[in-house]
Amino acid sequence: MLIEDLKNYLGFAVAGNFAGHLGEAGEADEFSVIKTEEKDAPKGLFPFYIKGHDSFLSTYPICDEVILTHGREDDKIQAEPEVALLCDFVYEEGKVIDIIPKFFSAFNDCSLRVQDGKKLSTKKNWGSNTKGISSDLIEIDNFTEKGILDTYHLSSFIKRDGVLHNYGTISAVKSYSYFFTQLKDWMINKFNTQEDCGPLEEISQFMTNAKEAKGMLIASGATAYSEFGKRNYLKKGDELFIYVYNARVHSHQDIINNIDSSEKLKECSKLYQIVK
C-alpha cells in the first residue's frame, strides 16, 4: 500500500487513551466536561481527515517524510507518537456495524497546543504534511491479546542540533487504556453514539460518504512524554523517529542503533520525519 492510497480512508483518532497524556498536552481542563463510564476509558473520537468534507478536514495531511509547520510554530507544535490501525469497516443503515483492523504502523498525530477553546480536530489538521505514518505496514493476524501486537512496543526520539533525546516513554502497545477487543467495541459504540460535547464533535456527521471510503485509518492514542518531550515544542530542523517494534526481537538499544541507519529492521515499523 502507498501513502497516496490512504487518501481514500477516513481518518479518526482516539483521545485520552493513555494515562497522563491529556494533562501533559494541556488539554485536561477542556476534557473535564466529558464523563466516561470507566475511570480510565478514552474520552472519545475525533476526525483528522475526511475526504470531500466541506472544511479544513478535506485537506490530506499525511506524509512519511516531513512535517510542515505552515508558519504555526507560535501555536506550539508537538508530535504525538502512536500506533495507527488501518481498518476495514462495515457500515449499514447509517451505523458502523464492525471494524476490522488489518495492518498497523508507527504514526505521528502531530498537534497544535494552542488553547483557543475550539474543537480538538481544529488542532489536528492545519494543512498538507502535518501528520506522519510509516510506510512499513505490518499485517495484523489477530486483533486480540493472542495476536501479533501483544509483543510490540512504541518508542520515539527527537534529534535537535545533532543531539538525540527520548521523546516519548517506552510503552507496550497493550498498555493503552483500551486496546484489542475492548477498544474495537468502544469505537463501534462511539461512532454510533458520540454527541457534541466540549472539545469533541458528534461523529455521525462525518460518516455521510462512509460507503465510498476504502477503510479507516485510526490513531490509537498518544503515549506519555519524556521530560524533554514535555518541555520542548517542534521547530524547523528537528528530526523525529517513531518506532513500533517487536520487543521480543529488538532491545531498546537495537532501536537506538538503527536511528541513523538505512537498515530496515524486521518486525518493526519506523517513521522518520524532518520538521520544515
Side-chain angles (χ1 to χ4, degrees):
M1 178 183 291
L2 302 174
I3 300 297
E4 288 294 299
D5 294 335
L6 296 177
K7 285 185 175 180
N8 294 314
Y9 279 61
L10 299 171
F12 291 95
V14 181
N17 195 21
F18 205 93
H21 173 74
L22 291 178
E24 293 176 353
E27 295 169 344
D29 288 345
E30 293 183 33
F31 277 92
S32 64
V33 299
I34 298 175
K35 307 304 178 184
T36 58
E37 292 183 4
E38 297 182 356
K39 178 178 178 292
D40 295 326
K43 293 291 190 176
L45 291 169
F46 62 87
F48 62 82
Y49 170 66
I50 305 294
K51 182 179 180 180
H53 195 264
D54 186 23
S55 75
F56 64 92
L57 288 170
S58 66
T59 299
Y60 183 63
I62 298 171
C63 183
D64 63 351
E65 297 177 340
V66 300
I67 287 291
L68 298 183
T69 67
H70 294 284
R72 300 291 297 271
E73 292 94 327
D74 288 346
D75 290 329
K76 300 178 180 178
I77 304 172
Q78 201 169 30
E80 293 196 355
E82 307 195 16
V83 175
L85 302 172
L86 277 72
C87 307
D88 292 343
F89 69 102
V90 180
Y91 188 75
E92 295 178 356
E93 298 180 355
K95 298 287 185 181
V96 175
I97 305 300
D98 198 10
I99 297 173
I100 308 100
K102 304 292 285 187
F103 296 90
F104 68 95
S105 179
F107 191 73
N108 177 11
D109 186 26
C110 210
S111 182
L112 304 177
R113 297 301 186 207
V114 57
Q115 303 301 316
D116 55 9
K118 295 182 179 179
K119 297 298 185 183
L120 184 60
S121 63
T122 65
K123 307 171 189 181
K124 297 292 186 174
N125 183 340
W126 63 95
S128 61
N129 300 343
T130 52
K131 284 277 181 287
I133 192 169
S134 170
S135 57
D136 303 326
L137 303 179
I138 301 175
E139 188 171 3
I140 296 173
D141 55 347
N142 179 0
F143 193 62
T144 72
E145 292 84 350
K146 297 180 180 179
I148 186 173
L149 271 160
D150 191 60
T151 61
Y152 275 70
H153 285 192
L154 176 65
S155 63
S156 56
F157 311 86
I158 185 170
K159 185 182 286 187
R160 175 172 289 177
D161 301 325
V163 179
L164 187 69
H165 305 270
N166 284 322
Y167 193 77
T169 59
I170 304 170
S171 305
V173 170
K174 62 184 178 183
S175 66
Y176 274 114
S177 295
Y178 279 20
F179 210 69
F180 301 124
T181 302
Q182 187 181 33
L183 176 62
K184 173 181 169 176
D185 291 345
W186 175 89
M187 290 192 298
I188 291 171
N189 178 61
K190 287 299 174 183
F191 272 111
N192 297 325
T193 65
Q194 181 171 303
E195 299 178 349
D196 188 287
C197 182
L200 299 178
E201 295 154 278
E202 186 263 323
I203 287 293
S204 64
Q205 64 178 306
F206 302 111
M207 304 298 289
T208 305
N209 298 318
K211 285 189 176 296
E212 299 174 12
K214 186 176 180 181
M216 288 182 183
L217 170 58
I218 298 175
S220 302
T223 61
Y225 290 109
S226 68
E227 287 303 314
F228 184 91
K230 291 177 187 177
R231 300 191 312 267
N232 292 272
Y233 300 106
L234 300 184
K235 63 181 184 178
K236 292 180 180 179
D238 286 346
E239 298 177 77
L240 295 168
F241 305 84
I242 300 174
Y243 286 83
V244 181
Y245 61 96
N246 188 338
R248 292 183 181 173
V249 175
H250 305 292
S251 67
H252 186 59
Q253 190 60 49
D254 290 338
I255 299 303
I256 293 175
N257 293 343
N258 178 260
I259 282 176
D260 291 321
S261 172
S262 60
E263 178 188 2
K264 192 167 183 176
L265 297 177
K266 64 179 182 179
E267 298 184 56
C268 175
S269 179
K270 175 184 179 180
L271 174 62
Y272 168 61
Q273 292 181 292
I274 300 175
V275 181
K276 294 185 178 181

